[in-house]
Amino acid sequence: QKHDRELAELAKLVQGDSEKLLLSQLIAQNHLVRKEYKAAFEVYWKLASDGQHPGSSRLARPDDPRISLQFPLWIAGKMKDLWSQMPENHRKELNISIEKVSQTALEGDISARERFETLFGFHPAALAVRHKLVEEYASQGNLSRAEILLLKLSRHPEAVEQAASLERLARLMADVGLKRDADYYYRMLERDHSTVKIG
């Protein structure tokens, strides 16, 4: 908490993406110690937006270099962790910003929706983006991606969303002739959500 001057000096010295990334982590941790959750979240969001690390770049775990993670997934994990720690009053302004980005993603191309879903999958605004992606993947014949998203939606906190995702999964399987898979999801729907009305 008492090293703002040192962080400012360090910012003048860092070179290359790896050092800039480490500096950003130190700044975010500094905010977090002060319970400045929104500021810490924005540090990681800026990292995601800067585009210095391509989606294919990987970060090795400091404790085990054999294990690495794609940069967007690492950032998404940091943002999700911060979001879960953040008091509701700290989320208000961020909610407005995230919802604006979700609208831009919905109106943009599929890659914008995929990026939003990766980074903000923890946020309620991701629901509409996921629904649109499911239908796009289904229309492209990309069964595996549609199935992955629908399985994520089947773990949604709301029972209606869980039921709707299982019903869509069953129809998706039936549409491509996978009768056994379709029957499996219909049975799951009947077993777990027989009282739920799907609109």
Side-chain angles (χ1 to χ4, degrees):
Q1 295 186 56
K2 301 175 181 178
H3 296 288
D4 288 349
R5 185 173 59 81
E6 287 88 342
L7 279 173
E9 288 297 315
L10 191 60
K12 298 174 185 176
L13 301 172
V14 295
Q15 296 179 355
D17 289 347
S18 60
E19 289 185 1
K20 289 175 184 176
L21 178 61
L22 182 56
L23 175 66
S24 294
Q25 288 180 270
L26 290 171
I27 292 170
Q29 288 169 14
N30 196 34
H31 286 308
L32 204 50
V33 168
R34 297 174 175 182
K35 300 191 184 304
E36 298 168 351
Y37 297 100
K38 178 175 176 285
F41 187 93
E42 287 174 335
V43 169
Y44 288 113
W45 192 349
K46 185 176 186 303
L47 269 176
S49 304
D50 280 349
Q52 292 176 346
H53 293 261
S56 58
S57 68
R58 302 184 72 87
L59 295 175
R61 270 177 52 167
D63 58 331
D64 190 347
R66 294 170 301 174
I67 301 172
S68 63
L69 192 66
Q70 283 189 350
F71 181 72
L73 296 177
W74 179 83
I75 286 284
K78 289 289 186 183
M79 290 166 70
K80 181 180 179 180
D81 288 345
L82 271 170
W83 192 261
S84 66
Q85 297 173 49
M86 202 180 300
E88 190 60 40
N89 61 316
H90 287 233
R91 293 180 182 176
K92 285 183 180 177
E93 286 182 48
L94 286 170
N95 269 326
I96 295 169
S97 300
I98 293 170
E99 283 164 9
K100 283 181 181 176
V101 175
S102 76
Q103 283 304 310
T104 302
L106 284 167
E107 294 162 8
D109 59 20
I110 192 168
S111 64
R113 286 184 282 287
E114 289 172 334
R115 179 174 171 77
F116 183 89
E117 195 278 329
T118 297
L119 289 175
F120 297 102
F122 60 86
H123 194 274
L127 190 60
V129 174
R130 280 182 173 154
H131 283 164
K132 187 163 184 175
L133 280 172
V134 163
E135 299 310 320
E136 286 173 317
Y137 291 148
S139 67
Q140 293 171 358
N142 197 332
L143 183 67
S144 60
R145 285 198 167 188
E147 184 178 16
I148 287 167
L149 280 187
L150 285 167
L151 287 171
K152 283 183 182 179
L153 289 166
S154 74
R155 297 187 290 272
H156 192 275
E158 294 179 12
V160 172
E161 197 59 51
Q162 295 171 18
S165 65
L166 288 173
E167 190 276 336
R168 184 66 185 96
L169 253 174
R171 281 193 292 116
L172 183 65
M173 296 302 167
D175 289 346
V176 295
L178 297 174
K179 187 177 182 303
R180 286 186 180 180
D181 296 89
D183 289 345
Y184 170 79
Y185 288 120
Y186 277 127
R187 286 196 302 271
M188 190 183 294
L189 180 63
E190 178 62 27
R191 184 193 69 204
D192 298 338
H193 303 288
S194 59
T195 61
V196 177
K197 290 184 178 180
I198 302 172

